[in-house]
Structure formats: structure tokens, C-alpha cells
């Protein structure tokens, strides 16, 4: 067959994997992985010279990584990736997600491929501007438990806004259930927060949780626009990464916070998935389970997630990392010492546990965050 | 706070998990999991009686499962699940996907909750009818490698259709790349298959791969309708399960084959995810990596996937299981002996490896499948 050239084919995304294999097998295993993540057929059966040289993934490096594992770097041809983040994830980890000896740990984008992805539209700086808090760390809480009716959630939202919380989000399990349908809930909660803001000159923002397929999402975004909602929450791995990508590019009038539901299912390194890939998809903030809470990521992993979300990266605005998952007001200073001021602290259940002292506990959260910020300044 | 009643709240979905814990801790761990997968806050902080009794997930059973693990059965309140499959997955495994000591292994739906999900519209029986093959196992192959232009893919499709292959699908890595854009490719491949069918009185069906976000999907489905395409391929975990669900309910005029890309990322048992959840979402056929190929599922797991896809289950039509992932023509009889006639055999790369003898190898696949079917009859 004839040779031919592919646009952007000489530009390769470098995908880093940890592969478990015997020393004598790793070369063949890496080559098999390169075929799996590109042409999915035996190399010998490919007669087209251009496909062999420009489309088949290349094995760029194999280095020992300890414990019987190797770090394998593949060069994925830019031409195979298209501009869609679903296809990017497909080429990075689609089929090899089904091979338990492979873990996706990192990726390096050349600028030409990054240029396809605008990333966060608001990002950390945009959140700060909207909240009128340009120097300090930001606070977030969650409306819960699910089962509450819209009016009850709105009452909670108002209490939190009066306490000066920056961002008040729906719990991610609050979807479109009959007991608090999206439209009724968003109208009630947004108005409660707006009233509290008006009364105290505050800047609190309510962030409802989006859910469902494209039709339901369209209806929900219509409500978001109508009510002048300032921020939304969405789970990229539940909605689908291509859906999240398209919402950011074309639909959403406001910043979006990524929630990690289903994203822990395994074998994609958290800093890559929650940090870089969600940022690439345009998450303005990304929630991660902080160490010492209900989840098991260690401190180093959490710091790596925060760095992946906000460290300089080509043209991409910084996403705000959101430390979450069973945090308490007692940990405010420690968390700020760990993450600095480019962080959002999310405390939910620990505020609600205060029962009748909810408003005081929420105010304490806000005060401790502000005081720590002033001390650090 | 006052008590209250929830629609369908007394109906619970039973979710089965494997949880690693010490004997002395398992009761508390199971209770924590029940909170994580429902209200996400401490039970003590919930004062509403109806939420405590009707919304909080219940621990229904804890039984030793060996190797320091326990089978924990939770009752998830039907009222929290809504009608959206994304929310179902969220409640089943959203947050606890981030907890590595938990694996989702099974689920039991009461009929009232299943009634929200129509499931496959065509299913195995519908595929058989469309293909004019009401008794035997079905054959499938894939157009590859990616990098080929539309005209070259169409030439391959024509060769396969003339050989009598039942279903000719795009490789799942073939998305909307510049070298073979969706519209041009689908027009060319569909016409090649239609011509071959007309020439030999055949019933081969071409199944292009859908990809991207809702906007791109709408454009692709428009092409599918315009060209009279008879079947499509889609990856539920890449597109997002709610997108797949909505495509089936509202958009797709033809049967859909589910591809497992990204679905192996871990800790959801394959028979539940590839078998039952994809069937619940309406997959008419579900591709799984058969044992002895490029993937590592063992024979028992593969048989369990096939059974989950096709065994009687309330009102849900059977999905066709599709054995795939590095299969060869030599294995046709063995695979039929394992799975019987309610199966689709997918052989891709092994046909293309025949090089100039591609048409003969494809015809051999078809013949061996037909001969085995006649012997079994």
C-alpha cells in the first residue's frame, strides 16, 4: 500500500504506565501495549508504511520502577486523539483498563496537542474575583443530607450564606429526586443565598449539582441561566468526560466544580485524573479526598493532586484544588499550612453535626480561615 | 423535625460489596459505607426521622467471604436513585470508588425499581431478526487499523460483507479523526456493505462507532438515520452511562453494541458492569474480553458475563454477549461449545493478519460458525 502523511501525526502525547512484568518479558509487553492503545492488531498485519510509522504508538522508554514493575512511556500519535476528551481517555486507557497489569500514571502533552483544549474558563483566579477574595484561601460547604425537601435545603443554604461561607454546593448525591427536584431546589436555594448576600453585603455563591443525560442537563442549565446561578457542581466520570468537556466549551455560563465520584475506580493516578485531566476538561475547581478523612489517599498524593490542578501548565488557567472528604473545622490551620492560600477547604458533615449550633460552627469555620489568612499575609 | 414519607422509599436496591476489614471493625465499616452511599454525613447529625428510616442506606447483611474480606449487603433507598443511570451508578459506587477496601460485586433490583429502565429495545432476538439468523451464533469483525482513510475502510467492509460476516463494526479507536471523519466513513462503509448485500442477497450490518459529547453525537446520529445504518457501537463508560441511557431511550433508531473501553478500570465486578448494568442501560449486545486472548478475565468470569447479559431478568430483553479480544478462527468451535448459540463471536485482527488471504479467512470464519451451528442443531 502507498505511504501517506497524517496531520499532527509526528506530534506524540507521551503516556506513562506502570506495568508489572518479568524482566525477560517487559520489552514484548510494552510493544503489545503500544499496539493495544493504537491500532489494536498485530503489527505484521499492517502493510501501510505511514500507519506503521505515524499511527502505531511507539515505545519511547522502559525503566525499572521496583517491585517487579516497569515505567513504560508510550508515544501516542496526535492524529489518533482527535479533539475530544473521550477519545483522549480512550487512547490513554480505554482497552488497557481491562488489563490489570497496567496502571496509567502520567502524561506529557506537547503544546500543539494542548492547544485543542482551552481548559478552565474562570479557574482559581475567576473564583476569587467572583467571591471578592483575592488573596486568601476559600471556604466551601455542602447541603445535605439527601432526603431534605427544597425548602429545607434552602434554609440551610441561607444559614451558611449568613455565616459567610464562600461556596455552598449541593451534596453530589442530590440529583433530581422527587423529594427535591432540580428546578424547585435551585430556585429556592439561589434565592436564599441571594437574600443573605443582600442583607450582609456578602458574596456567597450557591453551586447546584448537575446530573443526568444531555436532555436533562439542557433543562438544568436553562434553570441555572434563568436564576443567575453563579457556579455548578458536576461529576465528570459519571456524566462522561466528553459531556463535561462540551458543557464547558459550549453550554455553561458560570464556573464548574468537578466532583470525583466514580473517579477512584482505579488504576489511573489521582494527580493525573483529578488534577490534570479534569483541568484539561475545564474544571474551575476540583474536589479531592484529603488525607486523614474518610478516604485513603496519603498526604503526598493529595499534595500532588493540588499541584497538578494549579501549577503553571501552558496556557491553561489554574484550577482551584478543593480539599474535602470528612474534614473538620479543627483542621483549618493545618490544611492551610499544607496547601497555602491557593486552596478551597470543603467542610460539610462536620458543620451539620453541630445541630442547633450550626450557624456558630459555620461562622467559626469562616473566621478561622480568615484569621489564618491574615496571619500568613 | 417532622416525619414524612418518600415515594418508593421502602423499596430498596440491594448492593453487594466485598469489604476488606478486621473482624472487630466490619460492623462499623459497613455502617460507614451505608452512610457514604446515602446521606454522606454522621447519622447522629440527622434529626429527621423519615430520613433516618427511609433515606439512609441500611446494612442488610454481613457475611465472611474469606481472605479477610466480608460480603456486605446494603439496602439503597429507591427514592435516592431517581430514574437516571448516572445517579444509580453514583449511589452504587460513586464515593466508595475512592475507598480501595471496597469492591462492588452484585446488585439486586426489586421490580418496582427495574420498571424505570426499559433495557434493550432489540436485544439478541432483534439482532437475529435483522440478520436473518434466528437459530445460530452470530459473527462479528472490526474495521481496523485506525489510520486508514474512509475509502480503505469501506473496501474492507465490502470484503467482509461478501464473505458473509453478520456484523462489521468500526474498531472502537476509530472516532472522528481527520483521516477518516465520521460522516465520510459511514457513507462509504454503509454503501459498501449495502452493495455487497444486494449482490449476494446478504444481511450483513455495518456498525459505526459513536464518540464525543452530545453535540457531536447528535450530528453522528443524523448521519446514521440518513444513511439507514443498521447498528451502532458505543462505549458507555467513555460517553457516560447517562448519555448511553438517553441515546437508547430517545435518539437511536437502531440496535446498539456496548464496548467495554475504560470499563475495566476496576473494582466493579465485570458481570455486573458489562452484563447487567449495560443491559439495564439498553445495550442490545455487549462486548467482553474472552479468556485466552489479550485480556485476563478467566473462563468463569466470562461465562458469568454472558449469563448476566442474556439470562431471564424481569421484563428486560436479553442482550447478546459478544466474545472478543484477540480471538482466532481456530477457536470458533471451542467458543460455541462454551457459550452455545446465544453468542456473537468477534474476530478482528486475526482476519486482517491473513493479508492477501483476508477474504478466504473471513469466509472460513463464517463457514465454521455455520457448520458448527448445523451440527449442534
Amino acid at each position: 500500500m502507498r505511504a501517506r502523511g497524517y496531520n499532527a501525526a509526528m506530534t506524540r502525547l507521551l503516556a506513562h504506565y506502570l506495568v508489572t512484568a518479568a524482566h525477560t518479558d517487559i520489552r514484548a509487553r510494552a510493544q503489545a501495549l503500544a499496539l493495544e492503545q493504537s491500532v489494536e492488531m498485530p503489527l505484521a498485519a499492517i502493510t501501510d508504511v505511514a500507519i506503521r510509522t505515524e499511527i502505531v504508538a511507539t515505545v519511547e522508554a522502559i525503566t525499572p520502577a521496583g517491585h517487579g514493575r516497569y515505567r513504560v512511556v508510550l508515544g501516542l500519535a496526535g492524529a489518533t486523539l482527535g479533539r475530544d476528551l473521550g477519545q483522549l481517555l480512550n487512547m490513554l486507557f480505554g482497552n488497557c483498563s481491562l488489563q490489570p497489569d497496567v496502571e496509567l500514571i502520567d502524561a506529557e502533552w506537547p503544546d500543539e496537542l494542548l492547544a485543542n483544549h482551552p481548559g478552565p474558563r474562570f479557574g482559581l483566579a475567576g473564583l476569587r474575583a467572583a467571591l471578592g477574595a483575592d488573596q486568601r484561601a476559600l471556604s466551601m460547604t455542602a447541603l445535605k443530607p439527601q432526603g431534605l425537601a427544597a425548602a429545607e435545603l434552602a434554609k440551610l443554604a441561607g444559614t451558611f450564606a449568613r455565616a459567610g461561607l464562600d461556596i455552598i454546593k449541593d451534596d453530589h448525591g442530590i440529583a433530581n429526586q422527587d423529594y427535591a427536584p432540580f428546578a424547585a431546589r435551585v430556585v429556592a436555594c439561589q434565592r436564599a443565598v441571594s437574600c443573605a448576600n443582600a442583607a450582609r453585603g456578602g458574596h456567597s455563591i450557591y453551586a447546584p449539582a448537575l446530573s443526568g443525560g444531555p436532555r436533562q442537563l439542557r433543562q438544568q442549565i436553562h434553570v441555572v441561566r434563568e436564576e443567575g446561578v453563579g457556579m455548578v457542581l458536576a461529576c465528570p466520570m459519571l456524566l462522561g468526560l466528553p459531556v463535561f468537556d462540551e458543557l464547558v466549551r459550549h453550554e455553561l455560563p458560570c464556573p464548574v466544580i468537578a466532583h470525583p465520584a466514580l473517579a477512584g475506580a482505579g488504576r489511573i493516578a489521582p494527580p493525573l485524573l483529578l488534577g490534570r485531566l479534569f483541568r484539561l476538561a475545564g474544571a474551575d475547581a476540583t474536589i479531592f479526598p484529603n488525607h486523614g478523612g474518610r478516604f485513603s489517599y496519603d498526604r503526598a498524593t493529595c499534595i500532588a493532586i493540588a499541584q497538578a490542578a494549579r501549577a503553571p501548565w501552558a496556557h491553561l488557567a489554574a484550577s482551584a484544588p478543593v480539599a474535602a472528604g470528612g474534614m473538620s473545622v479543627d483542621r483549618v490551620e493545618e490544611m492551610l499550612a499544607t496547601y497555602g492560600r491557593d486552596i478551597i477547604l470543603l467542610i460539610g458533615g462536620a458543620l451539620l453535626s453541630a445541630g442547633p449550633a450550626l450557624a456558630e460552627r459555620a461562622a467559626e469555620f469562616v473566621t478561622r480561615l480568615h484569621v489564618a489568612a491574615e496571619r500568613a499575609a
Side-chain angles (χ1 to χ4, degrees), chain A:
Chain A
M1 292 172 88
R2 70 195 161 68
R4 153 188 40 186
Y6 295 94
N7 285 339
M10 302 319 283
T11 306
R12 287 178 184 270
L13 173 68
L14 298 182
H16 295 234
Y17 303 90
L18 274 184
V19 178
T20 304
H23 176 66
T24 46
D25 298 336
I26 183 60
R27 200 159 286 277
R29 182 68 189 91
Q31 182 56 39
L33 185 61
L35 294 176
E36 193 68 55
Q37 295 310 110
S38 56
V39 291
E40 260 194 274
M41 62 183 287
L43 195 58
I46 299 175
T47 49
D48 188 309
V49 173
I51 291 179
R52 287 179 77 114
T53 55
E54 298 181 28
I55 295 293
V56 174
T58 50
V59 178
E60 300 286 335
I62 302 176
T63 50
H67 308 286
R69 303 196 296 181
Y70 293 83
R71 187 184 193 102
V72 171
V73 181
L74 298 187
L76 304 180
T80 66
L81 303 175
R83 289 164 204 84
D84 155 39
L85 280 178
Q87 176 62 6
L88 174 72
L89 198 56
N90 193 12
M91 291 296 97
L92 279 172
F93 203 57
N95 266 12
C96 67
S97 81
L98 297 150
Q99 298 176 324
D101 57 343
V102 182
E103 198 174 328
L104 176 65
I105 55 170
D106 204 357
E108 295 175 66
W109 280 261
D111 287 346
E112 304 92 293
L113 295 179
L114 265 189
N116 290 329
H117 305 286
R121 300 157 303 152
F122 302 90
L124 177 57
L127 299 189
R128 282 226 161 89
L131 292 160
D134 59 349
Q135 295 291 331
R136 60 173 172 80
L138 304 173
S139 60
M140 189 187 299
T141 193
L143 302 178
K144 48 174 109 181
Q146 58 171 320
L148 290 180
E152 295 164 308
L153 293 167
K155 196 177 151 205
L156 264 180
T159 302
F160 285 137
R162 282 189 297 277
L165 259 295
D166 292 314
I167 302 167
I168 300 156
K169 73 167 186 70
D170 283 345
D171 203 21
H172 86 286
I174 296 182
N176 194 27
Q177 293 100 337
D178 293 338
Y179 45 75
F182 186 87
R185 176 175 95 240
V186 171
V187 168
C189 291
Q190 180 59 47
R191 291 183 185 177
V193 171
S194 297
C195 285
N197 281 342
R200 64 185 288 278
H203 297 278
S204 298
I205 294 181
Y206 167 58
L210 303 181
S211 67
R215 285 172 180 233
Q216 181 169 305
L217 288 169
R218 273 200 300 280
Q219 294 166 358
Q220 294 184 348
I221 290 167
H222 179 74
V223 175
V224 163
R225 287 185 186 280
E226 289 289 304
E227 296 300 314
V229 166
M231 204 176 291
V232 296
L233 179 81
C235 307
M237 300 311 282
L238 281 176
L239 293 186
L241 201 57
V243 174
F244 188 91
D245 190 28
E246 214 179 86
L247 287 179
V248 168
R249 288 177 191 249
H250 300 295
E251 311 288 348
L252 278 178
C254 62
V256 56
I257 306 160
H259 188 285
L262 201 71
R267 302 204 340 274
I268 303 181
L272 176 61
L273 185 57
L274 307 188
R276 304 181 83 196
L277 286 173
F278 285 4
R279 179 179 178 184
L280 198 65
D284 297 292
T286 180
I287 297 175
F288 67 93
N290 196 26
H291 63 99
R294 304 195 310 270
F295 300 88
S296 65
Y297 293 164
D298 62 18
R299 188 168 181 272
T301 300
C302 294
I303 291 173
I305 294 170
Q307 280 304 99
R310 68 196 179 182
W313 185 22
H315 63 279
L316 296 158
S319 286
V322 184
M327 298 299 102
S328 64
V329 176
D330 287 342
R331 290 188 61 185
V332 165
E333 294 78 10
E334 170 247 315
M335 290 193 281
L336 294 177
T338 299
Y339 296 108
R341 65 188 181 89
D342 290 340
I343 189 77
I344 301 179
L345 304 185
L346 168 52
I347 301 179
L351 299 188
L352 295 164
S353 294
L358 173 66
E360 290 77 2
R361 182 79 61 90
E364 185 196 347
F365 174 25
V366 171
T367 304
R368 286 172 75 152
L369 188 148
H370 285 241
V371 168
E374 278 159 32
R375 278 203 195 123

